[in-house]
């Protein structure tokens, strides 16, 4: 069996209206989507139309953003930085109290069978081009009401989610009609990004943290983890995912991470 290639990551500076915000470790794909998604997640913009221009300079390793509105740099730089957990250096400026003001997820336009989530998770894996090439990339995927998948990948799981949110914003997609799938752990900051956009259902191939589950329950978001083969773990019960699998294939997880009961 041949060796896979190494995944790429580059230090890229984000500059907004002439002010450098931070330097991020990013994979150089879909950087316009990442920029839009990150700016939305952090509260710099409310929609894609707030961005006047994005200029990417590969040689300088920078992304220059011109916003249509004024940017109060003094007020911004008094905010505390929080470095995200996991691979790929990430930074967020929203506080843990900011999420209390997030709107609760609107009623989803459709419900999903658990077998459908597993099927789409498998399709997601089979179509993650850069992961298949390197074995070391994270991915985020949206599934629309027709079942069509759109995938974004990056060395960092948060970056991948920002990229897919940016894609959705730039294409004016409605969150109530979408499901988010991710390869990475659903951490508090990851759940916060997804919640701010308004995804009603989030599925992952791995776990969710206790803090993320608490936030998901408060915001009425459905979280399903360990989507692998014919198995899954249900963390919340928002009524958007119907269990149609064998009783011994699905477990409900407590906030402490243990198994509460087999889900029938």
């Amino acid at each position: 069996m041949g060796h896979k290639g190494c995944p790429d990551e580059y230090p890229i500076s984000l500059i907004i209206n002439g002010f450098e915000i931070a330097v991020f470790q990013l994979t150089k794909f879909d950087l316009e989507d990442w920029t839009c998604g990150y700016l939305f997640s952090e509260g710099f913009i409310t929609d894609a139309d707030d961005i006047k221009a994005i200029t990417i300079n590969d040689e300088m390793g920078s992304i220059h953003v011109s916003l249509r509105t004024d940017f109060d740099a003094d007020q911004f730089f008094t905010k505390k930085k929080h470095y995200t957990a996991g691979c790929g250096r990430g930074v967020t400026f929203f506080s843990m109290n900011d999420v209390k003001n997030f709107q609760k997820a609107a009623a989803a336009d459709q419900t999903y069978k658990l077998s459908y989530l597993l099927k789409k998770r498998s399709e997601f894996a089979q179509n993650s081009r850069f992961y298949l090439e390197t074995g070391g990339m994270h991915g985020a995927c949206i599934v629309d009401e027709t079942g069509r998948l759109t995938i974004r990948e990056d060395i960092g799981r948060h970056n991948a989610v920002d990229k897919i949110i940016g894609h959705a914003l730039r294409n004016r997609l409605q969150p109530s009609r979408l499901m988010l799938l991710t390869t990475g752990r659903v951490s508090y900051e990851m759940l916060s990004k997804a919640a701010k956009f308004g995804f009603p259902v989030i599925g992952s191939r791995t776990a969710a943290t206790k803090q993320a589950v608490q936030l998901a329950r408060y915001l009425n978001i459905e979280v399903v983890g360990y989507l692998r083969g014919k198995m899954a773990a249900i963390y919340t019960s928002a009524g958007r995912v119907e269990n149609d699998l064998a009783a011994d294939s699905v477990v409900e997880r407590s906030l402490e991470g243990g198994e509460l009961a087999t889900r029938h």
Side-chain angles (χ1 to χ4, degrees):
M1 183 176 178
H3 294 290
K4 293 180 181 289
C6 293
D8 291 324
E9 59 176 323
Y10 301 90
I12 299 178
S13 174
L14 177 62
I15 300 165
I16 303 177
N17 288 2
F19 295 94
E20 183 181 66
I21 301 303
V23 177
F24 301 82
Q25 292 296 124
L26 287 159
T27 305
K28 289 184 179 179
F29 306 116
D30 304 303
L31 291 180
E32 294 88 351
D33 285 344
W34 175 82
T35 303
C36 185
Y38 179 81
L39 293 179
F40 174 81
S41 296
E42 296 297 320
F44 291 102
I45 63 173
T46 57
D47 59 49
D49 290 336
D50 291 340
I51 299 174
K52 185 177 181 180
I54 297 174
T55 304
I56 298 172
N57 188 323
D58 278 337
E59 291 186 4
M60 298 297 293
S62 62
I63 301 173
H64 290 261
V65 179
S66 175
L67 298 181
R68 296 187 186 279
T69 56
D70 291 334
F71 170 59
D72 189 338
D74 291 335
Q75 181 180 8
F76 174 78
F77 285 114
T78 61
K79 297 179 73 174
K80 184 179 180 180
K81 294 181 181 180
H82 299 269
Y83 289 96
T84 57
C87 56
R89 185 187 180 197
V91 62
T92 180
F93 292 92
F94 68 77
S95 73
M96 296 303 106
N97 290 324
D98 288 340
V99 298
K100 294 179 181 179
N101 297 319
F102 287 178
Q103 289 188 346
K104 294 190 176 182
D109 286 353
Q110 63 188 95
T111 58
Y112 305 91
K113 293 185 182 297
L114 200 49
S115 59
Y116 180 80
L117 268 69
L118 287 166
K119 176 184 176 183
K120 292 302 173 183
R121 162 65 198 140
S122 177
E123 291 180 20
F124 175 21
Q126 292 167 17
N127 290 280
S128 296
R129 171 189 166 190
F130 299 113
Y131 175 80
L132 293 174
E133 290 179 358
T134 67
M137 297 282 279
H138 273 296
C141 167
I142 52 175
V143 183
D144 68 16
E145 64 267 36
T146 70
R148 184 173 60 117
L149 276 62
T150 303
I151 298 170
R152 293 291 181 266
E153 296 179 84
D154 195 276
I155 190 69
R157 57 195 173 90
H158 302 88
N159 297 337
V161 170
D162 279 330
K163 286 180 178 181
I164 206 65
I165 290 174
H167 164 81
L169 287 168
R170 297 174 74 201
N171 289 276
R172 293 176 170 78
L173 304 183
Q174 296 300 313
S176 64
R177 300 179 181 179
L178 304 173
M179 172 171 59
L180 173 67
L181 299 178
T182 175
T183 59
R185 181 179 65 255
V186 181
S187 59
Y188 189 94
E189 62 270 19
M190 180 85 85
L191 196 285
S192 299
K193 288 178 182 291
K196 185 162 187 180
F197 179 68
F199 288 112
V201 178
I202 302 171
S204 172
R205 70 176 296 276
T206 183
T209 67
K210 176 181 177 180
Q211 289 73 18
V213 174
Q214 288 175 328
L215 179 59
R217 289 180 176 175
Y218 174 73
L219 295 175
N220 197 33
I221 296 171
E222 195 86 83
V223 178
V224 181
Y226 292 104
L227 288 166
R228 302 174 183 179
K230 295 182 179 180
M231 300 191 69
I234 297 176
Y235 288 96
T236 57
S237 300
R240 299 189 181 99
V241 177
E242 175 188 346
N243 177 22
D244 62 337
L245 302 181
D248 60 353
S249 296
V250 185
V251 296
E252 182 176 305
R253 301 219 164 222
S254 70
L255 287 176
E256 286 70 36
E259 296 180 5
L260 281 179
T262 300
R263 192 77 179 270
H264 294 281

